[in-house]
Amino acid sequence: MAFQQGLSGLNSASKNLDVISNNVANASTVGFKGSRAMFADVFANSLNGAGASQVGIGSKVAAVSQEFGQGNVTSTNNPLDVAVNGNGFFRVSKDGTISFTRNGQFHLDPDGYLVNTENQRVTGYGTDRSANIIATAPIDIKLQAADIPPLATSVFRFGANLDADASQPTAATFNSADPTSYNNTTSGSVYDTLGNAHVLSYYFVKAPASGQWNVYGSVNGTPISNVDLGAGAGNPLVLNFDSTGSLTTPMPTTASLTITGGATSPINFSLDMSAMTQFGSPFSVNSLFQDGYSSGRLAGVNIGSDGTIKGRYTNGQSQNLAQIVLAQFANPNGLKSLGQNQWADSPDSGLPVIGTPNSGSLGVLQSSAVEDSNVDLTAELVAMITAQRFYQANAQSIKTQDDVMQTLVNLR
């Protein structure tokens, strides 16, 4: 009788329509992975084995397999949205329960933790006191909003060209308030231990000796006695140049500035003028660098392709806050679906392999973006039509068998 075959076909077609409908319903779900029904035929068991003319008794859904192909990446306006381009899964935690997802729609909760829409915390690596990433066991990522402390200047590098054809100043005695007592001047900021900026001014005076210049300094417009450029407080630093315009004075020197205001005084730092030159061209500053800065408040965050979360601060500095980790599995199809676009590992999937983005086959991250569903809506609609015909054909086989039975019953 074909009733059993037809009924099994109806059940298979119905399950297939369920799978297709679920795909269509989630065509716009971020990070969703489509599924497909996998069928198998069914034969009755026989104690003595199958005969050559054995007829099957229908079909069944052997499995529903998820397709973990890459979805399209769409840009967003949220810098905390993250898309995975590769095989990795985000690792999230809630009350100690670990799950995995491809949905990278993240935000900060009131406590500063990076969470998803289900308030599950994204896990990754933290940092030490020096903002270096510590790759230990993954922890819940918490972005600290505290101000970063100031850093006193320890290195000051300066480079400029002094005009070899310049004449000596008309005023014989240097005075920072008298422009006729020096040839050129420039300045830069130096930071103390409290993060206060102090203006360090340099004054260049052409000396009588060939290829020789004297450099004086002042801080915040105070007398030169508060500045030691390496030759003693109030004394000029002597720069000597050879016939090719290259500096021959040994560098760096140790400089110090006497300041007021409650910070550590004097400010001691390494002064490096090795980039100074004396060519036959006008005075020009070529380079200026110092490593100090004031305190700064968190102004925003950036997430790199390797998962590193960097904080941007109002003082122009940036530092590492955390690093997102990814997980991958030997058999993703063995993952247990939990709903809410999440999965849990199982014996079939294997244990998760944890690593940083941009390593192995985990893939890379793209911030201010999300991964769209990988469902091809056009293909699903075509599959729905096919499944509908499949259902109608099986219903027709049952109807035909019913007609045959009715004919037999009507025989007299």
Side-chain angles (χ1 to χ4, degrees):
M1 297 296 179
F3 288 115
Q4 185 171 353
Q5 289 92 333
L7 183 60
S8 69
L10 288 178
N11 288 332
S12 297
S14 179
K15 288 285 187 181
N16 190 25
L17 282 170
D18 289 343
V19 173
I20 295 172
S21 297
N22 186 60
N23 289 342
V24 173
N26 287 280
S28 60
T29 301
V30 172
F32 178 79
K33 300 301 178 183
S35 302
R36 64 187 178 96
M38 304 177 70
F39 303 100
D41 58 347
V42 180
F43 277 79
N45 290 326
S46 175
L47 181 63
N48 296 321
S53 60
Q54 186 181 14
V55 177
I57 57 175
S59 67
K60 69 175 183 178
V61 176
V64 177
S65 175
Q66 284 199 291
E67 303 289 336
F68 285 93
Q70 179 70 41
N72 294 327
V73 174
T74 300
S75 298
T76 70
N77 293 322
N78 179 12
L80 296 179
D81 284 344
V82 187
V84 180
N85 193 344
N87 298 324
F89 293 79
F90 296 111
R91 183 179 183 272
V92 294
S93 168
K94 187 172 185 179
D95 299 328
T97 301
I98 302 299
S99 58
F100 306 90
T101 181
R102 293 279 293 196
N103 188 341
Q105 293 176 304
F106 302 139
H107 63 276
L108 296 179
D109 70 4
D111 297 321
Y113 286 98
L114 187 65
V115 297
N116 61 11
T117 54
E118 300 300 315
N119 287 321
Q120 295 171 307
R121 296 173 178 175
V122 182
T123 63
Y125 299 141
T127 59
D128 60 16
R129 293 182 178 271
S130 300
N132 298 312
I133 300 295
I134 304 299
T136 57
I139 60 174
D140 296 346
I141 292 178
K142 184 176 184 180
L143 304 185
Q144 299 290 346
D147 293 357
I148 60 173
L151 178 67
T153 298
S154 63
V155 175
F156 197 115
R157 292 196 293 269
F158 178 80
N161 179 69
L162 300 172
D163 190 353
D165 297 328
S167 303
Q168 290 181 247
T170 55
T173 303
F174 170 74
N175 182 354
S176 61
D178 182 7
T180 64
S181 65
Y182 54 86
N183 296 84
N184 308 104
T185 182
T186 190
S187 61
S189 294
V190 176
Y191 291 88
D192 62 25
T193 53
L194 296 179
N196 298 312
H198 301 274
V199 178
L200 173 60
S201 299
Y202 298 94
Y203 303 89
F204 299 93
V205 180
K206 182 68 177 291
S210 176
Q212 188 177 93
W213 291 75
N214 295 326
V215 185
Y216 295 88
S218 70
V219 57
N220 299 328
T222 59
I224 60 175
S225 59
N226 291 336
V227 179
D228 180 2
L229 298 181
N235 297 321
L237 173 64
V238 178
L239 301 181
N240 292 298
F241 298 89
D242 60 20
S243 59
T244 65
S246 299
L247 183 69
T248 59
T249 302
M251 287 291 167
T253 66
T254 300
S256 64
L257 308 179
T258 302
I259 60 171
T260 58
T264 301
S265 180
I267 304 173
N268 298 312
F269 58 93
S270 172
L271 177 61
D272 188 355
M273 289 189 172
S274 57
M276 295 292 296
T277 59
Q278 181 193 243
F279 298 139
S281 56
F283 173 81
S284 62
V285 177
N286 302 320
S287 62
L288 186 66
F289 168 82
Q290 64 84 33
D291 61 349
Y293 49 81
S294 62
S295 62
R297 182 157 298 172
L298 185 64
V301 295
N302 295 321
I303 302 178
S305 61
D306 63 348
T308 301
I309 305 175
K310 284 186 176 290
R312 293 182 286 105
Y313 294 86
T314 54
N315 60 356
Q317 301 298 310
S318 64
Q319 68 177 26
N320 296 332
L321 299 178
Q323 185 176 24
I324 298 173
V325 298
L326 296 178
Q328 66 178 356
F329 300 88
N331 176 28
N333 285 315
L335 290 171
K336 179 182 178 182
S337 182
L338 302 177
Q340 305 297 339
N341 220 6
Q342 297 175 46
W343 296 270
D345 58 318
S346 71
D348 292 332
S349 68
L351 294 175
V353 178
I354 308 298
T356 57
N358 209 14
S359 65
S361 59
L362 287 167
V364 298
L365 301 186
Q366 182 176 336
S367 63
S368 298
V370 293
E371 181 190 8
D372 296 336
S373 168
N374 68 350
V375 172
D376 184 341
L377 190 56
T378 302
E380 294 298 325
L381 293 176
V382 172
M384 185 180 297
I385 295 173
T386 303
Q388 180 186 11
R389 298 303 184 197
F390 177 40
Y391 191 94
Q392 291 173 335
N394 281 277
Q396 187 65 36
S397 71
I398 294 176
K399 180 181 178 182
T400 302
Q401 185 64 39
D402 179 60
D403 291 341
V404 172
M405 289 291 296
Q406 186 66 37
T407 300
L408 291 174
V409 169
N410 292 335
L411 288 178
R412 285 185 176 85

